[in-house]
Amino acid sequence: MPKSKTMNVALIGSKFMGRTHSNAYLNVSKFFDLPIDPVMHTIAARDGKDLAKFAPRWGWLNHTTNWKEAVNNPEIGLVDVGTPNHVHAEQSIAALEAGKHVACEKPLAGTLDDARQMVQAAKKAKKSKTFVWYNYRRCPAVALAHQLVKAGKLGRIFHVRAAYLQDWGGPDTPLLWRFQGKLAGSGAHGDLNAHIIDMVRFVTGEEITEVVGAIEETFIKQREIIESAGGEISGKGAGKKKAKKKMGKSTVDDAVMFLARLAGGAACSFEATRLATGNKNANGFEINGEKGSLKFNFERMNELEYYDATLEGRVQGWSTINVTRGGDGHPYAGNWWPDSHIIGYEHGFVNQAADMFSIIGGKKPVVPMPDFADAYETQKVLHAVIESARQHCPIKIRSIK
Ligand code: SOE
């Protein structure tokens, strides 16, 4: 068996995305034949005690509390930035300047300025490839939606309605980094609208050209400061035992909604909120075209609903495609289990790791992969939405540099 080519990976961050990315590197070579296989070389994070447990548990050979040491290690080929938004730029740019390939969590950055600096650094680093973990593109149902639209199955697109609804951001949720503007950049907007803006661009193949109007709302102005609370969404109710609560100001949105136009003229609505009570991770879209429609809801992530308006009227209706059939050409499905042996949230990350190493190895990804320049288009829309909400006016994306 010829020895496969390998590349050492350094991951920065060991919280929620640290786990999803570690799981992806642990499993990708078991399910995909890659031109280059990742080696889980180093995990870097701030808490040395936590790291000592995390590293062996998740398959990392080395661990360090000094991310710069990992980034500058000549043995490392890919640096993966899985940290909060305010350090994406510093860590990604350092890795690019060290000649590494760089993967970064979404959104590209907390601010447009940071994102622009990342794109400029990526342009300068000619030999480095960049990737952004817009993982939902690689849910097989979303990838199939992209392929169907690209094949012309919907024809001219009239409407897109996209919503990413969660409900973990209630009054009991403490002042995590995600509620601090200087760390996160924005709240549900950069966290959740980022995903649905990217997905709509990806599935329709069209850029958003104008934000027509927007609402930005912070319903819960004060949140409890919990020293131990990290950034993760499980901090709910952490402060319930404390007698006297120390409160801090939430400086980000809890919800942002906006109306937009696509390059082909479609009229779109987008909604992101952490207060949609009863919706846990309802990330979805509906696209209406001349020849048909598509509907996706991540809470039923293996299913894509399709309405084919080209059928004779008496047999038209919404069909629910269980996107698990590799034999029928469903994207990624052939790498996993037999028909209808459904997959989960973590598989999208494994599928992304597979495409990243395909690209590094000179092969094509199954579906398009966002690099820093592509993710900057999403970042420009994120910025335009907040400008539109605050100035109460439409904003053309071409005006954002
Ligand atoms: C929190 O809203 C979060 O963890 C997002 O940051 C992720 O991108 C999403 O996949 C799940 O929810």
Side-chain angles (χ1 to χ4, degrees):
M1 174 83 163
K3 197 169 166 354
S4 82
K5 277 180 72 179
T6 61
M7 177 174 285
N8 290 327
V9 177
L11 169 62
I12 312 173
S14 63
K15 297 299 180 194
F16 184 3
M17 290 303 126
R19 297 197 303 278
T20 58
H21 297 194
S22 298
N23 179 69
Y25 296 126
L26 262 179
N27 287 290
V28 67
S29 300
K30 298 178 179 67
F31 291 91
F32 291 83
D33 292 326
L34 301 172
I36 298 181
D37 289 302
V39 171
M40 299 174 72
H41 189 280
T42 300
I43 175 82
R46 284 175 303 182
D47 180 339
K49 238 169 94 227
D50 176 51
L51 265 183
K53 290 194 291 276
F54 184 95
R57 180 174 190 177
W58 285 92
W60 292 96
L61 297 171
N62 307 283
H63 59 273
T64 176
T65 55
N66 179 345
W67 65 266
K68 289 183 181 166
E69 180 190 286
V71 160
N72 291 301
N73 180 341
E75 293 176 20
I76 298 295
L78 168 72
V79 170
D80 184 357
V81 176
T83 46
N85 301 343
H86 68 294
V87 288
H88 284 187
E90 181 190 10
Q91 293 174 350
S92 298
I93 293 170
L96 287 165
E97 288 172 352
K100 314 299 184 189
H101 298 302
V102 180
C104 182
E105 252 303 324
K106 48 53 66 181
L108 187 58
T111 65
L112 189 70
D113 285 349
D114 272 9
R116 190 183 304 111
Q117 287 173 46
M118 293 167 77
V119 173
Q120 287 162 352
K123 278 194 191 119
K124 264 197 264 175
K126 300 265 183 266
K127 292 207 184 75
S128 297
K129 296 186 187 306
T130 58
F131 315 95
V132 181
W133 289 90
Y134 279 112
N135 54 296
Y136 292 113
R137 289 191 182 199
R138 285 163 175 77
C139 291
V142 178
L144 178 62
H146 160 83
Q147 293 172 340
L148 293 176
V149 172
K150 194 170 176 188
K153 291 289 186 186
L154 298 196
R156 179 183 171 202
I157 295 174
F158 299 118
H159 291 294
V160 173
R161 62 194 64 77
Y164 198 155
L165 312 177
Q166 293 182 340
D167 71 356
W168 60 272
D172 283 350
T173 301
L175 195 72
L176 308 170
W177 68 263
R178 294 178 183 279
F179 296 101
Q180 299 171 47
K182 64 181 186 318
L183 304 181
S186 63
H189 184 51
D191 190 18
L192 304 179
N193 265 330
H195 274 303
I196 51 180
I197 292 166
D198 175 73
M199 271 204 298
V200 168
R201 293 180 53 237
F202 167 63
V203 172
T204 65
E206 295 183 28
E207 291 301 340
I208 292 169
T209 55
E210 181 180 20
V211 173
V212 180
I215 296 177
E216 175 192 18
E217 193 58 57
T218 303
F219 292 98
I220 297 158
K221 314 279 189 204
Q222 295 280 326
R223 293 181 181 272
E224 185 176 4
I225 295 171
I226 310 275
E227 296 320 324
S228 59
E232 293 325 306
I233 63 180
S234 55
K236 205 169 183 172
K240 50 185 179 299
K241 298 188 207 57
K242 284 219 160 84
K244 179 97 180 69
K245 286 184 180 180
K246 195 170 153 224
M247 304 300 279
K249 186 165 182 263
S250 171
T251 51
V252 297
D253 61 274
D254 293 318
V256 170
M257 307 158 86
F258 67 98
L259 296 177
R261 282 200 180 86
L262 290 186
C268 313
S269 64
F270 292 80
E271 178 184 357
T273 177
R274 290 168 170 159
L275 295 170
T277 308
N279 294 277
K280 300 305 174 184
N281 200 39
N283 170 11
F285 56 75
E286 176 170 339
I287 302 174
N288 305 130
E290 199 168 7
K291 295 161 66 178
S293 289
L294 290 168
K295 267 193 255 190
F296 170 76
N297 175 358
F298 176 76
E299 291 187 354
R300 301 176 68 91
M301 75 162 273
N302 290 276
E303 297 175 0
L304 180 66
E305 291 190 72
Y306 174 41
Y307 189 99
D308 182 352
T310 65
L311 297 174
E312 53 171 319
R314 64 187 175 154
V315 293
Q316 285 189 19
W318 283 99
S319 62
T320 300
I321 307 167
N322 190 292
V323 191
T324 56
R325 302 195 308 274
D328 289 325
H330 285 162
Y332 304 103
N335 288 85
W336 294 104
W337 314 116
D339 297 4
S340 291
H341 289 59
I342 58 177
I343 62 173
Y345 174 64
E346 75 277 19
H347 296 83
F349 290 88
V350 183
N351 295 343
Q352 167 133 353
D355 279 341
M356 282 165 36
F357 280 89
S358 293
I359 292 168
I360 291 171
K363 299 248 185 293
K364 275 172 71 62
V366 172
V367 292
M369 170 74 72
D371 61 8
F372 283 11
D374 180 282
Y376 189 64
E377 294 308 312
T378 295
Q379 201 78 35
K380 289 195 295 188
V381 176
L382 288 169
H383 182 83
V385 170
I386 298 302
E387 291 299 297
S388 177
R390 293 179 183 172
Q391 298 174 29
H392 302 285
C393 68
I395 300 279
K396 295 269 189 209
I397 303 303
R398 66 167 180 266
S399 69
I400 310 282
K401 300 300 172 210

